[in-house]
Amino acid sequence: MKVSRRSHVPPFAVMEILAAANARREAGFDVLSLCAGEPSTGASDVVRSRAAELLRTADLGYTEAMGVPALRAEIAAHYDRWYGARVDPDRIAVTTGSSGGFVLAFLAAFDVGDRVALARPGYPAYKNILAALGCEVVELDCGPETRYQPTVPQLTEAYYEGGLDGLIVASPANPTGTMIAPAELEAVATWCGEHDVRLISDEIYHGIAYGEDVQQATAAMYTEAGAVVVNSFSKYWAMTGWRLGWLVLPEELVAPVGALAGNVALSPPALAQHAGIAAFSPEGYAAAADNVARYATSRAALLDRVPELGWRPVAPADGAFYLYGNVSEYCARIGGDSVEYCARLLAEADVAITPGTDFDGVRGRDWVRLSFAAAPDVVARAVDRIVAWQQTL
């Protein structure tokens, strides 16, 4: 029997490395894993307590396809609280993680053959999901000169070369951690509105930013111009396995996403939805802020040791919890690329990080991504091992 052409997408390499690291750990090795973008703390106590109570007392059957009204109302209040943005709860769709949100948004917004632009380097699932849905991916080469983010001139060039139907932006971005300033996001959103290009803004790392001057803007301010916001409980609230995310939709996509959601998943996970309401409590916000403080500690220590690591250049780690660095010097020493670098680092030093080939099919063979979402002492010990191992090359 045949296998569909649309299923021929590359596997997500970080998951393969995570599996290899877990297998090595199960074999008795002391593996330090900094490959996955997963907070080490897990959900806050207030969310866990609410979940335990719900398991004892609640009816956890199917919910509304777009999510329970109480959670949608809390998400809308969050936008008012954080950004001063008024969002109608009816325009919020709760999804099975941000990944489920991307699938619904792409299905509702794009047709087969549509051209959708995104930054390179960038999160690989964007282009792989788009390719599986029959869209044409237009990669914008984004380097240090643009802070690894797409610019209006790049969009204009791509638009006049072959047309554009969509743009995906991410701020803070994976793998680089770079952010789009509010004025720049407004300029991109305005350009997209003027050129009938659907803007999809990945904001799953919002709340995880560093420095007093860092400002986070949301494309929820621009839904009247057609922008779609994707967000999640996985990163800021450390609820990765709960599979809970959301979309903020422009009016014209509300009914299509609702119909698709009911057919694709019936409803998001009921337990996660009801417990997730507690994430917006003062206790939930406080626990998330404590996590960000831990990431900041790890980040500061890690940046202090970049000269010692010898990774150069590195992308500005303004937000999220990643260090994206160039390891071409060490790749040259081993006569390989970042895939071999990461494989040998795991096999010889028991540290798991991710090769840049996941994020950049052109230059990623010289780059790696290290996640500092683990506990600060784990990150510090991992860097010790990396430095010592590189000295043997």
Side-chain angles (χ1 to χ4, degrees), residues 50-98:
R50 181 58 179 148
E53 179 184 2
L54 289 163
L55 284 170
R56 291 192 303 269
T57 64
D59 174 11
L60 297 173
Y62 293 132
T63 73
E64 296 86 342
M66 295 276 278
V68 296
L71 180 56
R72 296 165 75 188
E74 283 293 341
I75 293 170
H78 172 72
Y79 279 90
D80 190 15
R81 191 178 300 124
W82 268 27
Y83 310 102
R86 297 302 178 95
V87 175
D88 186 341
D90 288 341
R91 293 197 291 106
I92 292 171
V94 181
T95 61
T96 307
S98 61

Side-chain angles (χ1 to χ4, degrees), residues 39 41-44 47 78 82 206 231-240 246 279-280 284-285 288 291:
T41 55
S44 62
V47 170
H78 172 72
W82 268 27
H206 266 216
N231 210 321
S232 170
F233 289 78
S234 291
K235 307 301 182 181
Y236 182 68
W237 284 281
M239 294 171 60
T240 52
W246 74 82
F280 296 107
Y285 279 117
N291 285 343

